[in-house]
Amino acid sequence: MMKNLIKFRASSVYKLMTEPRTKSEKLSQTAKTYIKELWIENNYNRKKEVGSKFMEKGTLVEEQSITLLTNVTGSFFIKNKENFQNEFITGTPDLFYKDTIHDIKSSWDIWTFSDAELTSANYWQMICYLWLTEKQKGFVDYCLVDTPEHLIIDAKRKWAWLNGVIDNDSEEVQKVYEEIERNMTYPDIEEKERVKQFEVNLLLSEIERIIEKVDLAREYYNNLSL
């Protein structure tokens, strides 16, 4: 039977790159779990990943984050819609600026923005983008922008439900609602304080590591069953 030379999404490659617990193992349990989920998705049309409020905000405020990044950096970014792929991976970078790639990450709130760092997931995703586009340098850009109104309303409703609120118009409840809204909007914070950039440079050794892991992942993928 012909082997499936599956290509892996840039956003998920970090799962393949996690190190196994023992030297005798070639793939980590994290990698194996992801590969099986992908195998089920491809063969049985069942996707384990589900949406979340964090993902929803990221999608809805992308344009606001790009505008914020433009205002802070003074750079004119080109929005990319093209999917790139090679023999091993596939991906769609967010933005181009001259010879660099920028990947937008819209933080859920001020606390997640404050804790933002270059994670393994973001690093390997950017390495993939650089490889796919033959660029040498990229930036992971965290942006803090206002939460869409309907998500703020959802947060208020959730608080009210959890606390058994009957009178939404009471002064005490209104104060809580005002605090929720304040925590989810940021007009009082300067734009330059609401952008964090992390630089990533392409390394040939990292490409070699990805190829090695993809080869192992394909072998594991092609031997799976329910």
Side-chain angles (χ1 to χ4, degrees):
M1 188 174 82
M2 185 175 179
K3 296 296 183 180
N4 189 329
L5 297 180
I6 184 172
K7 297 177 182 181
F8 291 89
R9 293 186 289 265
S11 59
S12 299
V13 163
Y14 77 97
K15 297 176 184 178
L16 303 181
M17 306 310 294
T18 57
E19 293 300 325
R21 292 183 178 180
T22 64
K23 291 183 178 180
S24 61
E25 295 178 291
K26 296 180 179 180
L27 291 170
S28 68
Q29 188 56 51
T30 297
K32 291 177 180 178
T33 298
Y34 162 63
I35 296 165
K36 186 154 192 177
E37 288 174 359
L38 186 61
W39 180 83
I40 290 174
E41 178 184 338
N42 291 340
N43 287 278
Y44 298 98
N45 196 29
R46 266 71 169 181
K47 190 172 184 179
K48 190 168 186 179
E49 291 181 4
V50 294
S52 69
K53 62 182 182 181
F54 311 105
M55 293 171 62
E56 184 178 0
K57 177 180 178 179
T59 300
L60 293 173
V61 304
E62 184 181 49
E63 289 300 326
Q64 292 96 306
S65 291
I66 293 173
T67 299
L68 174 63
L69 183 63
T70 299
N71 292 345
V72 170
T73 64
S75 303
F76 180 73
F77 297 98
I78 298 175
K79 183 75 176 76
N80 173 62
K81 294 184 179 180
E82 181 182 354
N83 178 264
F84 294 83
Q85 55 183 304
N86 59 25
E87 186 183 345
F88 302 93
I89 58 174
T90 179
T92 308
D94 287 336
L95 306 171
F96 290 107
Y97 174 68
K98 295 184 177 179
D99 290 328
T100 62
I101 289 175
H102 288 255
D103 190 41
I104 292 283
K105 304 294 182 185
S106 299
S107 297
W108 169 250
D109 58 27
I110 192 170
W111 293 278
T112 55
F113 177 78
S114 179
D115 292 337
E117 60 183 5
L118 183 62
T119 64
S120 173
N122 298 338
Y123 173 79
W124 286 109
Q125 184 176 16
M126 181 55 71
I127 289 291
C128 288
Y129 287 161
L130 294 172
W131 181 20
L132 288 168
T133 58
E134 300 183 344
K135 305 291 186 184
Q136 295 299 312
K137 182 187 295 186
F139 293 87
V140 177
D141 302 309
Y142 283 92
C143 297
L144 179 64
V145 298
D146 291 353
T147 305
E149 182 64 25
H150 75 278
L151 291 178
I152 296 176
I153 293 172
D154 285 346
K156 293 176 181 178
R157 285 174 176 166
K158 182 178 181 180
W159 179 86
W161 181 78
L162 289 173
N163 289 276
V165 171
I166 298 175
D167 182 9
N168 278 300
D169 296 323
S170 73
E171 183 177 347
E172 181 182 355
V173 170
Q174 286 302 311
K175 285 183 178 179
V176 173
Y177 286 171
E178 288 174 7
E179 184 176 354
I180 290 172
E181 186 153 354
R182 178 175 174 77
N183 285 343
M184 301 176 79
T185 55
Y186 315 99
D188 57 316
I189 302 176
E190 289 188 36
E191 288 188 333
K192 65 181 180 180
E193 293 186 71
R194 294 191 277 120
V195 171
K196 287 184 179 183
Q197 294 186 289
F198 297 91
E199 183 177 325
V200 178
N201 293 284
L202 183 62
L203 299 172
L204 179 60
S205 59
E206 301 292 55
I207 294 176
E208 293 171 346
R209 288 182 63 193
I210 293 172
I211 292 174
E212 179 183 0
K213 289 294 186 180
V214 168
D215 285 340
L216 292 170
R218 284 173 170 171
E219 181 181 355
Y220 186 80
Y221 182 98
N222 285 306
N223 285 286
L224 285 171
S225 62
L226 281 180

